[in-house]
Amino acid sequence: MPLSVDIEKTLGSFHLRVRFEAGQEVLALLGASGCGKSMTLKCIAGIETPDRGKIVLNGVTLFDSQRHINLPPQKRRVGYLFQQYALFPHMTAAQNIAAGVRDRANRDAAVRDIIRAMRLEGLEQKKPHQLSGGQQQRVALARILVNEPEVLLLDEPFSALDTHLRFRLEQELRDAIARFGKTVLLVSHNRDEVFRLSDRIAVLADGKVETCGSRHDVFADPKTRNCAVLTGCKNISALQWLDGTQLLATDWGISLTAARRDPPAAAVGIRMHDLQPGPGENAVRFRVVQEVENPFSYTLLLKPLHADAPIPLGWETDKNTWNTLRAAEITLRLPPESLLLLHAEREDHT
């Protein structure tokens, strides 16, 4: 793999212990604030120094605590895109890009080439405050890519943007990543952004990797309660195993059949859109305790008719379906194949 990371760092009571590998792909580090995502990028870039461990990029050791290797940032061939882009406000776009060029002899040609590649023609003499958010992002990326880094680190690149601008800049960033064609690490706490942009996802919690896999696999089978929450599952209940694949979802007060038996699982989840109207296996009669209208759907909060459930389930459905079914009581199925069996946590996974 082009990038191999196996490091530890302690900051007060926080202990970062991450281990993963990344190829020519977009690997997203998904996690809540304070879980160690940005710290991991800073250690790879050389901005922070791990206490112990090893970082290797394309066969070059960037850091090795045992061999006392710790290359300075300027020798690592790592491109780091900060959250706010870190453009120099008093410089033009061309000057900002030129400031990042290491090869001074070929600086002018390199700047011209990257301006053309990043579609920045006509903006060379504009200062950051005269540029749109997308243009600022392209200038910041151009300043990074002009030196042909071996890995691109993206630290919450859309965190300060509104929804409309975020979606538009995602398309531009996807094009830039495709042109880059090497290893990209994307840090985010936004599950939709991660799913759209990444090839694989490593879920971080409390400074360690809980789950790592393809984006489809992580969303389909998140493995842990924390990962289920981060990937958007809102229906989660503690469980007790009964006979075979039978389980009791204690917070919902209902018995269910799972697709498989997994005794270490401590909780069961189901995504709101996976509940299905009608009879069948795992069908439950619910009463509607609350109806929430969204712009293009409804979210119904439900409790079983014949159980004292402390926590309601949520069901999200389109407006046409709910307007057809609308009633105080409804029957919904929780398909066995849609049930998520969740462990409390997992050991560090690559």
Side-chain angles (χ1 to χ4, degrees):
M1 286 287 187
L3 177 65
S4 174
V5 177
D6 186 355
I7 55 173
E8 295 187 34
K9 185 176 180 64
T10 299
L11 292 169
S13 60
F14 178 74
H15 190 189
L16 180 71
R17 295 162 291 173
V18 292
R19 178 172 58 91
F20 60 85
E21 294 183 339
Q24 291 186 352
E25 61 183 342
V26 180
L27 174 65
L29 305 183
L30 174 65
S33 297
C35 72
K37 306 185 302 296
S38 293
M39 179 59 67
T40 300
L41 293 195
K42 290 175 181 177
C43 287
I44 296 170
I47 299 170
E48 294 282 350
T49 302
D51 297 331
R52 63 191 64 86
K54 190 174 182 179
I55 304 171
V56 179
L57 176 61
N58 286 330
V60 177
T61 300
L62 307 184
F63 175 81
D64 189 327
S65 57
Q66 290 188 343
R67 296 166 59 196
H68 305 290
I69 296 173
N70 187 19
L71 295 186
Q74 62 270 24
K75 291 187 177 181
R76 294 196 176 202
R77 300 203 67 182
V78 169
Y80 196 129
L81 182 66
F82 293 91
Q83 292 184 18
Q84 303 298 330
Y85 308 143
L87 296 175
F88 298 112
H90 62 286
M91 290 184 178
T92 66
Q95 289 169 337
N96 263 283
I97 296 168
V101 180
R102 295 195 183 102
D103 182 3
R104 298 300 178 183
N106 298 307
R107 180 176 59 187
D108 292 344
V111 170
R112 284 196 302 271
D113 289 346
I114 198 67
I115 283 175
R116 184 169 56 253
M118 297 298 292
R119 306 191 313 279
L120 291 167
E121 298 98 326
L123 303 176
E124 294 92 337
Q125 302 309 311
K126 292 188 179 294
K127 293 184 176 179
H129 74 275
Q130 299 173 304
L131 301 172
S132 69
Q135 292 165 344
Q136 289 180 31
Q137 185 187 78
R138 275 185 281 153
V139 171
L141 280 169
R143 185 173 62 184
I144 292 169
L145 298 178
V146 72
N147 288 308
E148 300 182 346
E150 295 299 319
V151 62
L152 182 59
L153 310 180
L154 307 176
D155 192 356
E156 299 273 8
F158 311 113
S159 60
L161 304 176
D162 60 55
T163 303
H164 174 71
L165 186 57
R166 179 191 299 255
F167 184 78
R168 185 160 56 82
L169 292 194
E170 265 190 37
Q171 317 313 310
E172 295 193 5
L173 182 59
R174 183 181 288 108
D175 292 342
I177 288 172
R179 286 194 298 272
F180 180 58
K182 300 178 185 177
T183 303
V184 177
L185 293 188
L186 167 68
V187 155
S188 180
H189 61 269
N190 184 303
R191 58 149 188 171
D192 296 329
E193 176 182 298
V194 161
F195 188 86
R196 288 192 292 263
L197 288 172
S198 69
D199 300 301
R200 288 195 304 134
I201 301 171
V203 177
L204 271 66
D206 298 325
K208 64 180 179 180
V209 176
E210 273 197 352
T211 301
C212 188
S214 75
R215 57 177 181 152
H216 290 102
D217 288 346
V218 168
F219 273 76
D221 188 9
K223 306 293 187 187
T224 69
R225 187 183 190 111
N226 175 69
C227 184
V229 170
L230 287 170
T231 56
C233 182
K234 297 178 176 61
N235 293 323
I236 299 177
S237 167
L239 70 78
Q240 292 178 6
W241 285 103
L242 305 175
D243 293 334
T245 57
Q246 296 290 310
L247 62 87
L248 173 64
T250 56
D251 293 324
W252 305 331
I254 54 177
S255 296
L256 298 168
T257 299
R260 69 184 191 277
R261 184 173 178 82
D262 185 8
V268 59
I270 187 167
R271 301 189 188 278
M272 291 201 296
H273 60 268
D274 281 335
L275 279 78
Q276 300 176 4
E281 192 170 17
N282 286 348
V284 179
R285 189 71 175 168
F286 292 99
R287 58 187 173 89
V288 179
V289 297
Q290 190 174 352
E291 176 184 306
V292 180
E293 184 177 10
N294 307 311
F296 305 106
S297 66
Y298 281 102
T299 300
L300 289 306
L301 299 184
L302 314 164
K303 287 194 174 184
L305 280 184
H306 304 296
D308 184 18
I311 298 176
L313 281 89
W315 177 43
E316 186 168 359
T317 184
D318 64 86
K319 290 192 171 183
N320 288 336
T321 298
W322 179 236
N323 287 333
T324 301
L325 293 175
R326 188 180 298 274
E329 299 177 5
I330 55 173
T331 298
L332 295 175
R333 291 183 294 115
L334 289 71
E337 65 275 10
S338 297
L339 296 180
L340 306 175
L341 301 178
L342 308 171
H343 297 211
E345 63 178 19
R346 299 181 78 204
E347 291 302 316
D348 187 40
H349 283 257
T350 301

